[in-house]
Amino acid sequence: MQSLTLSSLCVMVLWIIQSAGVLFDLPLTYLGITPLSLRGLVGVMSAPLVHGSYEHLFNNTLPLIILGGALVYGYPKTRLKALAFSWLGSGIGVWLWGRPSVHVGASGVAHGLFFYLFVIAIMRRDARSVGLMMIAFFLYGGMVMTIFPRDPHISYEAHFFGAIGGTLAALLFGRQDPKPVVKQYQWEQSDEEDPIIGDAWQQHADDSGSATPSHHDDDPWRR
């Protein structure tokens, strides 16, 4: 619950920024990424903080809360590294190879978090990682396809390079978080025999298995 609360507070900051831009008519697009432009280079750090519209921000809100909450809950030692690689990977990739436009929004970061959860679960294969990955994939498995061009108004470049950043973070830091301790019950740890039954069941099985039918030559019904 705390992990979702923390991710929700972070997303709330994005809503405050968007509302301030609308209320005070602030030119937030200047904080976006303009590929291969010195002015647009600032957007590598600031572009995920601004969005083109409330609809744009709304579409990113739930993925950021859920994927961010899963990251905070499952990977306390590497969550900041995963976020940084997703953030910077998306921004730098768009600045170097993006289409000539102004790219804004946190969808690249969301894709990075999704691919981090996906790849790290394959690497670790513990119950917690697999469980978080299944939740993420069930809700946002479509992110596997949105890293490719589909809509000219959507920055698939941010999605693609964010996914690369999240994947690199998983490959580099995926084993730094300790795996959850598997609880063992007392009956699993004990090798002692039952004090009442003991090995009587084995003796009974041996007696049953060794029994052979006996035939008597004086059987009156034999001919």
Side-chain angles (χ1 to χ4, degrees), residues 147-159:
I147 62 175
F148 303 108
R150 300 180 67 184
D151 188 332
H153 300 290
I154 296 177
S155 178
Y156 76 90
E157 299 96 327
H159 301 173

Side-chain angles (χ1 to χ4, degrees), residues 180-222:
V181 178
V182 179
K183 183 178 179 180
Q184 288 188 337
Y185 296 92
Q186 185 176 3
W187 62 269
E188 294 180 300
Q189 301 173 351
S190 177
D191 294 332
E192 299 179 358
E193 295 178 347
D194 189 284
I196 299 177
I197 300 178
D199 60 351
W201 65 274
Q202 292 181 336
Q203 296 176 359
H204 178 72
D206 292 341
D207 294 342
S208 300
S210 60
T212 55
S214 59
H215 301 286
H216 300 283
D217 292 340
D218 57 350
D219 187 345
W221 297 101
R222 294 183 62 193

Side-chain angles (χ1 to χ4, degrees), residues 61-168:
T61 294
L62 281 180
L64 289 173
I65 291 176
I66 295 175
L67 297 176
L71 178 70
V72 172
Y73 174 77
Y75 309 100
K77 287 190 175 181
T78 59
R79 57 193 179 191
L80 293 179
K81 297 175 182 178
L83 178 62
F85 268 65
S86 301
W87 193 301
L88 295 177
S90 175
I92 294 174
V94 169
W95 190 81
L96 289 175
W97 293 289
R99 289 168 291 172
S101 180
V102 179
H103 300 253
V104 295
S107 56
V109 176
H111 279 71
L113 300 184
F114 172 82
F115 275 84
Y116 180 83
L117 295 172
F118 183 76
V119 174
I120 201 173
I122 296 175
M123 293 173 54
R124 292 165 58 94
R125 290 179 291 182
D126 60 272
R128 178 186 295 174
S129 298
V130 173
L132 293 174
M133 183 270 289
M134 291 180 66
I135 293 173
F137 197 86
F138 176 77
L139 294 175
Y140 304 110
M143 288 186 176
V144 176
M145 299 304 300
T146 52
I147 62 175
F148 303 108
R150 300 180 67 184
D151 188 332
H153 300 290
I154 296 177
S155 178
Y156 76 90
E157 299 96 327
H159 301 173
F160 179 79
F161 291 108
I164 290 180
T167 300
L168 287 176

